[in-house]
């Protein structure tokens, strides 16, 4: 899996942390049954929680302003204007990609439809769970395939 795939799934699993800490925190945040892995249902529950956090007004959909607000912490007024514009454009493209029915907002089902394939991509041994090693490889950009 390339690093370019990772940012979408990172919304769900705390990508703001450095590599090793990120994998550990993803496990601690999403591993509800404490078995040392993230099962498919745990990932779906994490997707729902992430969606609800982005949906600040609680209307059941994410609009572009809410998506912008969820990503704003990474930017500052000191950032060059051209960089801010490029980031905004990237978020708009991401939003349009998630908004599969072109309604102008993202429903939970659209959000999950976009996120779920990343679980499958990270589950390199196809056992239905993401273990610490699979998360570590994803953070490091290692596909686990030679």
């Amino acid at each position: 899996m390339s690093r370019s795939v990772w940012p979408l799934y990172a919304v769900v699993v705390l990508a703001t942390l450095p590599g090793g800490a990120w994998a550990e925190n993803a496990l601690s945040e999403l591993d509800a049954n404490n078995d040392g892995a993230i099962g498919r249902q745990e990932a779906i529950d994490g997707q729902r929680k992430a969606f609800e956090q982005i949906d600040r007004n609680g209307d059941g959909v994410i609009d572009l302003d809410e998506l912008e607000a969820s990503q704003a912490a990474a930017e500052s007024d000191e950032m060059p204007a051209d960089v801010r514009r490029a980031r905004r454009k990237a978020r708009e493209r991401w939003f349009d990609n998630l908004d599969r029915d072109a309604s102008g907002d993202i429903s939970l089902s659209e959000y999950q439809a976009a996120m779920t394939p990343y679980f499958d991509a990270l589950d390199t041994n196809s056992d239905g769970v993401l273990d610490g090693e699979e998360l570590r490889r994803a953070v490091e950009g290692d596909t686990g395939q030679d």
Side-chain angles (χ1 to χ4, degrees), residues 24-45:
E24 288 175 27
N25 205 18
L27 278 173
S28 69
E29 285 290 318
L30 298 175
D31 183 14
N33 64 4
N34 295 314
D35 66 353
I38 301 169
R40 185 172 299 280
Q41 187 60 50
E42 289 168 322
I44 290 169
D45 293 345

Side-chain angles (χ1 to χ4, degrees), residues 22 28 33 42 46 83 88 93 96 98 102 110 112 116-117 120 125 140 145:
W22 180 92
S28 69
N33 64 4
E42 289 168 322
V83 173
R88 168 112 178 142
R93 285 190 305 272
D96 290 344
L98 292 174
E110 287 173 316
Q112 288 180 318
T116 299
D120 296 332
N125 64 2
E140 294 174 0
Q145 301 168 0

Side-chain angles (χ1 to χ4, degrees), residues 3-139:
R3 288 179 193 256
S4 64
V5 171
W6 192 246
L8 264 178
Y9 195 76
V11 169
V12 178
V13 281
L14 314 167
T16 59
L17 300 173
W22 180 92
E24 288 175 27
N25 205 18
L27 278 173
S28 69
E29 285 290 318
L30 298 175
D31 183 14
N33 64 4
N34 295 314
D35 66 353
I38 301 169
R40 185 172 299 280
Q41 187 60 50
E42 289 168 322
I44 290 169
D45 293 345
Q47 290 168 358
R48 180 179 302 279
K49 183 178 178 182
F51 180 89
E52 290 169 354
Q53 289 174 342
I54 297 169
D55 179 21
R56 292 180 183 229
N57 66 6
D59 65 354
V61 294
I62 297 171
D63 61 32
L64 184 57
D65 290 337
E66 289 169 322
L67 181 65
E68 285 282 320
S70 74
Q71 303 294 309
E75 295 186 9
S76 72
D77 291 335
E78 292 138 20
M79 185 178 290
D82 59 330
V83 173
R84 285 196 311 270
R85 279 192 301 273
R87 286 183 170 199
R88 168 112 178 142
K89 285 265 197 215
R91 284 191 297 268
E92 288 172 353
R93 285 190 305 272
W94 184 42
F95 184 89
D96 290 344
N97 190 35
L98 292 174
D99 183 16
R100 294 178 176 199
D101 65 2
S103 64
D105 51 39
I106 302 165
S107 67
L108 176 60
S109 62
E110 287 173 316
Y111 184 82
Q112 288 180 318
M115 297 300 167
T116 299
Y118 295 102
F119 180 94
D120 296 332
L122 295 177
D123 183 16
T124 57
N125 64 2
S126 301
D127 66 354
V129 297
L130 303 178
D131 59 34
E133 180 62 19
E134 287 168 321
L135 291 171
R136 182 200 60 78
R137 283 196 314 258
V139 168

